[in-house]
PDB file of all heavy atoms in Angstrom:
ATOM      1  N   ALA P 208     -50.988  49.417 -33.220  1.00  0.00           N
ATOM      2  CA  ALA P 208     -50.482  49.917 -31.827  1.00  0.00           C
ATOM      3  C   ALA P 208     -50.347  51.345 -31.877  1.00  0.00           C
ATOM      4  O   ALA P 208     -50.283  52.041 -32.918  1.00  0.00           O
ATOM      5  CB  ALA P 208     -49.139  49.148 -31.603  1.00  0.00           C
ATOM      6  N   ILE P 209     -50.220  51.905 -30.633  1.00  0.00           N
ATOM      7  CA  ILE P 209     -49.856  53.275 -30.472  1.00  0.00           C
ATOM      8  C   ILE P 209     -48.497  53.356 -29.881  1.00  0.00           C
ATOM      9  O   ILE P 209     -48.187  52.440 -29.060  1.00  0.00           O
ATOM     10  CB  ILE P 209     -50.887  54.058 -29.738  1.00  0.00           C
ATOM     11  CG1 ILE P 209     -50.891  53.589 -28.199  1.00  0.00           C
ATOM     12  CG2 ILE P 209     -52.179  54.011 -30.191  1.00  0.00           C
ATOM     13  CD1 ILE P 209     -51.642  54.523 -27.324  1.00  0.00           C
ATOM     14  N   VAL P 210     -47.677  54.380 -30.211  1.00  0.00           N
ATOM     15  CA  VAL P 210     -46.396  54.525 -29.601  1.00  0.00           C
ATOM     16  C   VAL P 210     -46.412  55.785 -28.674  1.00  0.00           C
ATOM     17  O   VAL P 210     -46.790  56.803 -29.061  1.00  0.00           O
ATOM     18  CB  VAL P 210     -45.337  54.647 -30.731  1.00  0.00           C
ATOM     19  CG1 VAL P 210     -44.012  54.982 -30.065  1.00  0.00           C
ATOM     20  CG2 VAL P 210     -45.406  53.407 -31.590  1.00  0.00           C
ATOM     21  N   ILE P 211     -45.955  55.558 -27.527  1.00  0.00           N
ATOM     22  CA  ILE P 211     -45.977  56.682 -26.549  1.00  0.00           C
ATOM     23  C   ILE P 211     -44.549  56.979 -26.188  1.00  0.00           C
ATOM     24  O   ILE P 211     -43.726  56.158 -25.924  1.00  0.00           O
ATOM     25  CB  ILE P 211     -46.663  56.383 -25.252  1.00  0.00           C
ATOM     26  CG1 ILE P 211     -48.261  56.193 -25.500  1.00  0.00           C
ATOM     27  CG2 ILE P 211     -46.474  57.380 -24.047  1.00  0.00           C
ATOM     28  CD1 ILE P 211     -48.954  55.775 -24.310  1.00  0.00           C
ATOM     29  N   ARG P 212     -44.237  58.400 -26.322  1.00  0.00           N
ATOM     30  CA  ARG P 212     -42.760  58.799 -25.948  1.00  0.00           C
ATOM     31  C   ARG P 212     -43.051  59.862 -24.855  1.00  0.00           C
ATOM     32  O   ARG P 212     -43.584  60.901 -25.200  1.00  0.00           O
ATOM     33  CB  ARG P 212     -42.161  59.422 -27.241  1.00  0.00           C
ATOM     34  CG  ARG P 212     -40.669  60.052 -26.926  1.00  0.00           C
ATOM     35  CD  ARG P 212     -40.028  60.513 -28.237  1.00  0.00           C
ATOM     36  NE  ARG P 212     -39.892  59.386 -29.018  1.00  0.00           N
ATOM     37  CZ  ARG P 212     -40.013  59.393 -30.450  1.00  0.00           C
ATOM     38  NH1 ARG P 212     -40.412  60.620 -30.947  1.00  0.00           N
ATOM     39  NH2 ARG P 212     -39.784  58.353 -31.259  1.00  0.00           N
ATOM     40  N   GLY P 213     -42.537  59.625 -23.637  1.00  0.00           N
ATOM     41  CA  GLY P 213     -42.664  60.636 -22.592  1.00  0.00           C
ATOM     42  C   GLY P 213     -44.171  60.703 -22.231  1.00  0.00           C
ATOM     43  O   GLY P 213     -44.710  59.652 -21.777  1.00  0.00           O
ATOM     44  N   ASP P 214     -44.727  61.876 -22.324  1.00  0.00           N
ATOM     45  CA  ASP P 214     -45.980  62.094 -21.842  1.00  0.00           C
ATOM     46  C   ASP P 214     -46.982  62.340 -23.075  1.00  0.00           C
ATOM     47  O   ASP P 214     -48.089  62.785 -22.966  1.00  0.00           O
ATOM     48  CB  ASP P 214     -46.200  63.207 -20.941  1.00  0.00           C
ATOM     49  CG  ASP P 214     -45.498  62.943 -19.645  1.00  0.00           C
ATOM     50  OD1 ASP P 214     -45.680  61.756 -19.212  1.00  0.00           O
ATOM     51  OD2 ASP P 214     -44.920  63.928 -19.069  1.00  0.00           O
ATOM     52  N   ARG P 215     -46.439  61.932 -24.274  1.00  0.00           N
ATOM     53  CA  ARG P 215     -47.255  62.152 -25.483  1.00  0.00           C
ATOM     54  C   ARG P 215     -47.444  60.866 -26.373  1.00  0.00           C
ATOM     55  O   ARG P 215     -46.571  60.079 -26.427  1.00  0.00           O
ATOM     56  CB  ARG P 215     -46.677  63.333 -26.266  1.00  0.00           C
ATOM     57  CG  ARG P 215     -46.410  64.496 -25.501  1.00  0.00           C
ATOM     58  CD  ARG P 215     -45.918  65.761 -26.389  1.00  0.00           C
ATOM     59  NE  ARG P 215     -47.069  66.230 -27.233  1.00  0.00           N
ATOM     60  CZ  ARG P 215     -47.894  67.022 -26.740  1.00  0.00           C
ATOM     61  NH1 ARG P 215     -48.066  67.590 -25.506  1.00  0.00           N
ATOM     62  NH2 ARG P 215     -48.963  67.459 -27.668  1.00  0.00           N
ATOM     63  N   ILE P 216     -48.561  60.839 -27.076  1.00  0.00           N
ATOM     64  CA  ILE P 216     -48.744  59.783 -28.017  1.00  0.00           C
ATOM     65  C   ILE P 216     -48.089  60.229 -29.316  1.00  0.00           C
ATOM     66  O   ILE P 216     -48.597  61.259 -29.879  1.00  0.00           O
ATOM     67  CB  ILE P 216     -50.269  59.456 -28.174  1.00  0.00           C
ATOM     68  CG1 ILE P 216     -50.915  59.141 -26.881  1.00  0.00           C
ATOM     69  CG2 ILE P 216     -50.444  58.342 -29.249  1.00  0.00           C
ATOM     70  CD1 ILE P 216     -52.357  58.889 -26.836  1.00  0.00           C
ATOM     71  N   VAL P 217     -47.144  59.419 -29.845  1.00  0.00           N
ATOM     72  CA  VAL P 217     -46.390  59.798 -31.041  1.00  0.00           C
ATOM     73  C   VAL P 217     -47.304  59.467 -32.294  1.00  0.00           C
ATOM     74  O   VAL P 217     -47.589  60.391 -33.157  1.00  0.00           O
ATOM     75  CB  VAL P 217     -45.069  59.034 -31.261  1.00  0.00           C
ATOM     76  CG1 VAL P 217     -44.363  59.550 -32.432  1.00  0.00           C
ATOM     77  CG2 VAL P 217     -44.169  59.584 -29.963  1.00  0.00           C
TER      78      VAL P 217
END
Side-chain angles (χ1 to χ4, degrees):
I209 67 168
V210 176
I211 294 178
R212 178 178 297 144
D214 295 324
R215 306 189 72 82
I216 301 173
V217 180

